[in-house]
DNA sequence: ATTACACCTTTACGCTGCGTCAAGGTCAAG
DNA sequence: CTTGACCTTGACGCAGCGTAAAGGTGTAAT
């Protein structure tokens, strides 16, 4: 299948100017030009454009995209899987922002109050995430974890000790969960203690706590593979167990946990 | 509480240049300037900045943001609720993109194939959504629904008849759901027929069908208030009923379903 | 055969939302 | 009174295109 600029543009939902620009900077060159100089694109270019748009969607600049896909060791399927991971991460970031908006709403309605620094937590968490995603791996390798952690703590306006505390608590939640999970009973004392620790841990980053949000997050842990994998590490079915424990903890009716 | 540029910048996670720029274009002016010309911001400005960042996060340009928040009839809480809706919409858009990536992965693995126009569906759906969000209300009022629907069909590369078919099917799903819902039995023949229609409807916009994705979407209908409200219109608890019917339809083990 | 019209080309300037110097004033601490 | 971390107002630069301007091309209908 061959496409002229406009046909490909329509297909992909971009402007012809964009295609010409991509040609100009060498990001996406047409398969050939016909006798009158018309740009002709083939199916290889269609696939490449799709990839470019995937990465553009992630917020990468065209220069980075070029480097990524022109890399000789570029592994298509692996890149796609990474891409998927990042999209999932972005969804989690969105959930954070939504929580932030909801807190703001409830604050506006007088149901609670927000300190000034709480008002920006969602945005800053995003900065951290973007940083981590783009440079985390390289920099962690080069300068070690301490540098990164310090920067993260700074961005969250936490003191370093607070951040340490935060990370310690996180580990505690994980180990308690592993322990509790083996009993198999989400309403056991140990499991409830785990849920309580989890709430405490949450309070570090969430502006305001609500049972509903807590339960909702727990459900997300099960639905989102990355979270699930994280909590399943210590113990088989850990994410589900944690969710059930939190459901008991927050007092959700077991019959219809969601509404 | 009073802030200088840098203090506010740190608080909000933006640069001082950004704050000066916002002052320059009149988007966010300091509460006052001290005797040496230093910008001093108060708590009113903190709140305003938070709102600005909310809208910026949505991808609005600063000019639009200014118009929105300087509107004398600007209703803070209502805007926040709308904002929340839009974030939820974006999350749904993200889910679409994720589905698209997953299809691409499975296509790359040879498990299925994708037509050229399928490769861009996620991106274009986004264009439609953005259009709808930004101009939908105004334009629908001015030019009527037909104009919009036509444009949507075009963008999705559907023929107009196909799009009509799509919309008819959508209505059919809703009415069948209302009928089936009253029987109260998600495994009833009528309910299963509804699930089947729903699958058919999905196939219009989803590149590839999988039981897991179908079941996942059904759960999302329950979790996301906007979807829930949509499916609850015809019948009380419609979203949940549809989810349960789809779970039966896709043969998901009832144990791993949510409740 | 020409006219119409939708396509295509290159060249080039304009825009947003800042980043990034540059050149200089201010303020608190030592 | 010096140091250093603040602040100020310019002014230029940049990506990623949008948007004309001026002109060549393909083809269907007259």
């Amino acid at each position: 299948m061959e496409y002229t600029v406009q046909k490909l543009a329509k297909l992909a939902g971009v402007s012809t100017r964009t295609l010409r620009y991509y040609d100009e900077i060498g990001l996406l060159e047409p398969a050939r030009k016909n006798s009158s100089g018309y740009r002709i694109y083939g199916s290889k270019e269609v696939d490449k454009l799709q990839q470019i748009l995937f990465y553009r969607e992630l917020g990468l600049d065209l220069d980075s995209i070029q480097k990524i896909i022109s890399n000789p060791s570029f592994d298509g399927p692996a890149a796609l899987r990474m891409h998927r991971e990042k999209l999932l991460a972005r969804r989690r970031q969105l959930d954070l922002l939504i929580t932030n908006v909801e807190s703001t709403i409830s604050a506006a309605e007088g149901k609670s109050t927000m300190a000034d620094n709480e008002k920006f937590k969602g945005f800053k968490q995003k900065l951290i995430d973007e940083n981590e995603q783009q440079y985390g791996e390289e920099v962690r390798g080069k300068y070690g974890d301490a540098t990164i952690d310090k920067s993260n703590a700074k961005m969250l306006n936490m003191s370093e000790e607070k951040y340490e505390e935060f990370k310690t608590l996180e580990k505690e939640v994980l180990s308690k969960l592993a322990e509790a999970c083996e009993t198999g009973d989400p309403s056991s004392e140990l499991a409830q203690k785990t849920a309580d620790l989890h709430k405490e841990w949450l309070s570090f980053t969430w502006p305001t706590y609500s049972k509903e949000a807590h339960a909702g997050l727990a459900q997300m842990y099960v639905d989102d593979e990355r979270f699930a994998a994280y909590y399943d590490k210590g113990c088989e079915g850990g994410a589900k167990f944690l969710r059930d424990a939190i459901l008991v903890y927050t007092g959700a009716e077991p019959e219809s946990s969601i509404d």
Side-chain angles (χ1 to χ4, degrees), chain A residues 20-75:
Chain A
R20 274 190 275 268
Y21 181 64
Y22 289 176
D23 182 11
E24 191 184 328
I25 64 172
L27 179 57
L28 178 69
E29 286 162 9
R32 61 189 178 82
K33 290 195 171 189
N34 77 0
S35 57
S36 334
Y38 285 26
R39 272 166 262 256
I40 310 290
Y41 298 88
S43 58
K44 252 180 63 185
E45 284 73 33
V46 171
D47 288 348
K48 195 169 173 188
L49 179 56
Q50 190 199 15
Q51 284 185 345
I52 291 171
L53 293 186
F54 273 149
Y55 285 106
R56 197 182 66 167
E57 187 59 32
L58 273 180
L60 286 181
D61 57 300
L62 301 183
D63 214 53
S64 309
I65 295 178
Q66 190 154 21
K67 274 173 194 152
I68 290 173
I69 62 180
S70 73
N71 191 321
S73 68
F74 173 66
D75 181 355

Side-chain angles (χ1 to χ4, degrees), chain A residues 69-123:
Chain A
I69 62 180
S70 73
N71 191 321
S73 68
F74 173 66
D75 181 355
L80 278 173
R81 255 178 290 273
M82 263 199 45
H83 188 74
R84 182 166 162 285
E85 297 277 305
K86 290 191 183 179
L87 286 176
L88 289 175
R90 220 162 78 170
R91 197 171 61 173
R92 285 198 303 278
Q93 157 57 23
L94 249 183
D95 286 327
L96 235 167
L97 256 175
I98 290 170
T99 314
N100 196 349
V101 173
E102 281 166 353
S103 305
T104 310
I105 290 176
S106 99
E109 284 169 345
K111 285 183 190 151
S112 60
T113 54
M114 283 175 90
D116 276 359
N117 63 341
E118 282 168 353
K119 293 176 183 168
F120 298 98
K121 264 180 185 157
F123 303 118

